[in-house]
């Protein structure tokens, strides 16, 4: 094994911290030592693992061993290697087809494997078989690639190893690599906190954007392709495979989904009461330790408890809640070896196919109930509150040590299982800002980017073919606050919001969005300005904060005098304003006060161009 300068530093750190050195001393190409990695020297102690799912592994010299199996269960193939292997497999079976959902900014195809007993090649053919469909997406963060290798093994076993019956009553859509450009920015130094594979892709796209922050705003070509694929292929269950970081614990496969307080309570009930028990049972039977999503309130003090995450629509699971698509976020534990994580993912994908096949009627019923619920009041934001029930957390023991490097106390995980009983759980489950459900929204035709994004999401729209006079509601903004730094390629904004009735003539080409449609809740979260993932807060409407017409002081002075002479009530209002010493001492503010009340002032300034029907 080649020792780099970083490796030497890691060895020194390990010798003083008590962490295991066996990993970096061993021959890492030997399959028997597949659980060891170069960064083990600076990571917490590795926990030995063996489980029944190891029986899924083919010998390295088997004809249909995946690249993962061929290389000691330590590596994941490149983009070209992945699809070269998959192309050979697809050529062996009529059940498998390969379709492109679009190209990345660097020109790579984002491939999706369609697996069905009928060999469906397009969305309409797949829909015609009437079976529920599972969409599995790997590599949205391409260094977190477990799902790719697990899916390749599962497809192989469907073709050659007696598991074609998984497709008797279900279909599988499998995207091996979502962030294809990030996947090819691969290095052994990309994710120091993760045990394998040896080379890992980059977290963000070639444009340095995080795809799992892009569901709502849909800025990236990759996300736009995925949303169009979801709209076209209409999966019944969506699984997004990640690898987490943070703290050490016993769980190797954690997963979660929307909360009951969200937009899809019927889907939550199916996931919590039907899906989770089945999946956890399958994982446990194969020697894995499943658990809910793990987010510590304080990584240095487990006793403070766990955070229950109510995801917003910028994330896959929050987006699934908003559009009523059952969505599972898998977070495999980064400190578990790559082999263990891949095998756990395989078990979860296989059992998920079985779950939707066996319980498709209840699943589809839950989806339909949520799509057509049309709640009259819609929650936009949530406040944190402590949950009634605590959590018995399967953790790892640790101590705090004073660091000579940082000067802070740092956590030292000792590798010993420890149960932390009845930890407090705090989550965003108390409704905060709510709005009444409008019957429709109206977007003026000049806001083309906004209209295009609504179309990408699959939201149904109609267009006015003639000018139309309507009584509507319009939001007025005050005190806009812009983020000081760029976030995901955009300058986000918040503002105080009030609403007023308006009688307005809408021009030809205005887009109308009815909220009583399957994606009506998603439309509300995208268009209500107080929603944290609204297109307003993402900066799509920032031009409305720019003033483009002005009036010179020499014109305001006589205009103000005439306004006061003609309107005694205005004189009284001005006299009252002058009682504010700061205002009275500011000539510009005094002149602006008159300009804003004159017919020359921009009547669209700080007004939201999207109008609400009653």
């Amino acid at each position: 094994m080649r020792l780099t300068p970083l490796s030497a530093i890691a060895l020194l750190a390990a010798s003083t911290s008590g962490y295991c050195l066996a990993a970096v001393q061993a021959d890492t190409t030997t399959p028997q030592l597949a659980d060891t990695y170069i960064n083990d020297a600076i990571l917490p102690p590795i926990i030995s693992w063996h489980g029944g799912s190891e029986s899924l592994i083919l010998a390295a010299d088997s004809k249909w061993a995946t690249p993962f199996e061929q290389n000691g269960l330590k590596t994941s193939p490149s983009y070209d290697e992945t699809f070269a292997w998959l192309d050979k497999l697809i050529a062996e079976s009529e059940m498998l087809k390969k379709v492109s959902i679009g190209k990345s900014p660097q020109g790579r195809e984002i491939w999706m494997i369609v697996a069905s007993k009928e060999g469906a090649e397009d969305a309409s053919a797949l829909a015609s078989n009437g079976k529920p469909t599972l969409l599995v997406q790997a590599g949205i963060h391409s260094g977190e690639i477990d799902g790719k290798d697990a899916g390749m093994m599962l497809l192989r076993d469907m073709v050659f190893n007696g598991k074609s019956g998984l497709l008797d009553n279900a279909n599988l859509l499998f995207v091996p690599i979502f962030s294809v450009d990030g996947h090819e920015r691969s290095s052994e130094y990309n994710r120091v906190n993760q045990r394998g594979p040896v080379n890992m892709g980059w977290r963000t796209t070639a444009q340095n954007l995080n795809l799992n922050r892009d569901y709502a705003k849909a800025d990236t070509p990759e996300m736009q392709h995925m949303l169009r694929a979801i709209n076209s292929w209409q999966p019944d269950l969506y699984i997004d495979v990640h690898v987490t970081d943070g703290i050490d614990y016993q769980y190797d496969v954690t997963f979660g989904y929307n909360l009951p307080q969200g937009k899809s309570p019927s889907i939550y009930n199916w996931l919590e009461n039907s899906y989770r028990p089945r999946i956890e049972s399958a994982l446990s039977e194969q020697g894995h330790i499943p658990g809910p999503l793990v987010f510590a309130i304080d990584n240095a003090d487990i006793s403070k408890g766990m955070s229950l995450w109510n995801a917003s629509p910028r994330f896959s699971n929050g987006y699934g809640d908003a559009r009523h698509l059952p969505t599972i976020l898998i977070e495999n534990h980064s400190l578990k070896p790559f082999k263990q994580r891949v095998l756990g993912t395989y078990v979860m994908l296989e059992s998920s196919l079985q779950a939707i096949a066996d319980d498709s009627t209840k699943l589809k019923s839950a989806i339909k109930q949520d799509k057509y619920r049309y709640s009259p009041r819609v929650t936009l934001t949530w406040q944190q509150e402590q949950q009634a029930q605590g959590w018995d957390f399967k953790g790892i023991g640790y101590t705090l040590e004073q660091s000579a490097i940082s000067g802070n106390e740092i956590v030292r995980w000792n590798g010993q299982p420890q149960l932390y009983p009845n930890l407090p759980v705090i989550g965003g489950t108390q409704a905060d800002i709510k709005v009444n459900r409008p019957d429709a929204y109206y977007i003026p035709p000049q806001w083309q980017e906004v209209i295009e994004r609504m179309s990408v999401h699959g939201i149904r729209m109609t267009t006015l073919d003639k000018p139309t006079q309507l009584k509507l509601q319009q939001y007025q903004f005050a005190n806009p606050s812009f983020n000081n730094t760029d976030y995901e390629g955009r300058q986000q904004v918040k503002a105080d919001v009030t609403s007023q009735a308006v009688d307005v003539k809408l021009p030809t080409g205005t887009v109308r969005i009815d909220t009583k449609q399957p994606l009506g809740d998603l439309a509300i979260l995208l268009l209500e300005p107080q929603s944290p993932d609204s297109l307003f807060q993402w900066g799509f409407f920032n031009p409305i904060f720019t003033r483009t017409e002005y009036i010179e002081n020499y014109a305001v002075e006589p205009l103000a005098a005439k306004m006061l002479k003609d309107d005694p009530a205005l004189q009284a209002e001005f006299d009252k304003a002058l009682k504010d010493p700061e205002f009275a001492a500011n000539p510009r503010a005094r002149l602006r006060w008159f300009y804003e009340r004159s017919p020359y002032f921009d009547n669209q300034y700080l007004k939201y161009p999207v109008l609400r029907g009653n």
Side-chain angles (χ1 to χ4, degrees), residues 483-491:
N483 278 11
N484 292 327
T485 58
D486 170 274
Y487 178 65
E488 291 298 317
R490 288 194 169 269
Q491 186 182 25

Side-chain angles (χ1 to χ4, degrees), residues 158-189:
M158 288 178 180
V159 175
F160 292 115
N161 294 331
K163 294 192 176 181
S164 64
L166 291 169
L167 299 177
D168 286 348
N169 296 297
N171 308 308
L172 174 64
L173 304 174
F174 175 49
V175 178
I177 310 169
F178 184 14
S179 182
V180 289
D181 295 342
H183 186 275
E184 294 308 280
R185 186 181 171 184
S186 180
S187 168
E188 60 185 306
Y189 299 113

Side-chain angles (χ1 to χ4, degrees), residues 472-489:
L472 302 171
Q473 294 288 320
Q474 185 172 35
Y475 288 120
Q476 176 84 40
F477 299 125
N479 305 315
S481 173
F482 295 89
N483 278 11
N484 292 327
T485 58
D486 170 274
Y487 178 65
E488 291 298 317

Side-chain angles (χ1 to χ4, degrees), residues 220-237:
T220 62
E222 295 97 329
M223 184 55 69
Q224 293 177 17
H225 297 325
M226 181 59 70
L227 297 182
R228 291 188 179 103
I230 289 172
N231 290 325
S232 177
W233 294 85
Q234 288 293 309
D236 300 284
L237 182 64

Side-chain angles (χ1 to χ4, degrees), residues 464 466-470 472 502-508 510 611:
L464 300 184
K466 60 181 179 180
T468 305
Q469 192 82 24
L470 291 173
L472 302 171
V502 293
D503 193 345
V504 61
K505 188 172 187 178
L506 300 173
T508 301
T510 297
L611 300 161

Side-chain angles (χ1 to χ4, degrees), residues 101 110-112 134-141 144-148 151 172-179 211-212 215 222-223 225-227 229-230 237-242 315-317 319 325 327-330 345 349:
I101 65 171
I110 304 173
W111 294 109
M112 182 171 72
L134 168 63
L135 170 57
V136 176
Q137 164 187 290
I140 188 172
H141 297 151
E144 306 167 21
I145 203 61
D146 305 2
K148 177 185 70 178
L172 174 64
L173 304 174
F174 175 49
V175 178
I177 310 169
F178 184 14
S179 182
L211 291 178
N212 203 31
Y215 278 88
E222 295 97 329
M223 184 55 69
H225 297 325
M226 181 59 70
L227 297 182
I230 289 172
L237 182 64
Y238 181 26
I239 293 183
D240 180 23
V241 186
H242 290 249
F315 304 99
S316 61
N317 50 326
Y319 183 74
L325 168 59
T327 301
I328 307 295
L329 173 65
I330 295 179
T345 306
L349 299 186

